Amino acid sequence: MSAFLWTLLLVLLIAGSVISVGKLRAIRLDAKRKKWWVIFHVLFVIMYFTGVLGNFVLTLFTLYFKDRELIYAAHYFIKYFDWYLIIPGALGSLATGIWLANFLLLR
């Protein structure tokens, strides 16, 4: 199975589970809980964009230098930015965004 299909399956699984749990809850979010969910959502978005910006800077860094060790180190850090900033940030912002939309728009 290709990476695209696995990613699509993971996104649909996250979205479906968050929506189904949200529909089972009979209560609305009060102002305090909504504020905390928005804070978590913004933190995940910041984490995602920090990883994207770091990838962009390191990619530009590799274009202008010829030292193999520096290029290898930049690619090494790009991999860690992907795994520890971009992927968790994207999935976290997706989940919290769906959760907030579920309580704010569908109720």
Side-chain angles (χ1 to χ4, degrees):
M1 204 181 241
S2 71
F4 175 74
L5 291 177
W6 281 110
T7 305
L8 182 65
L9 181 67
L10 181 65
V11 167
L12 290 176
L13 182 68
I14 290 172
S17 62
V18 169
I19 289 172
S20 64
V21 167
K23 286 188 182 284
L24 291 176
R25 295 179 55 116
I27 59 171
R28 279 186 68 103
L29 289 177
D30 57 347
K32 187 176 181 181
R33 287 184 185 168
K34 179 187 166 199
K35 180 179 78 171
W36 279 107
W37 278 104
V38 170
I39 288 171
F40 284 131
H41 181 70
V42 169
L43 288 176
F44 279 123
V45 170
I46 289 171
M47 191 165 98
Y48 173 75
F49 280 114
T50 303
V52 169
L53 182 65
N55 271 354
F56 179 68
V57 168
L58 287 175
T59 303
L60 286 178
F61 178 78
T62 60
L63 292 176
Y64 295 110
F65 289 99
K66 302 294 183 206
D67 189 14
R68 299 185 93 188
E69 287 82 17
L70 289 176
I71 294 172
Y72 176 77
H75 285 272
Y76 190 74
F77 281 111
I78 286 173
K79 180 179 77 169
Y80 279 106
F81 281 175
D82 284 342
W83 282 103
Y84 296 111
L85 288 175
I86 294 176
I87 294 172
L91 293 177
S93 64
L94 175 73
T96 55
I98 291 172
W99 184 261
L100 285 169
N102 192 21
F103 276 106
L104 298 177
L105 297 178
L106 298 179
R107 301 255 178 210

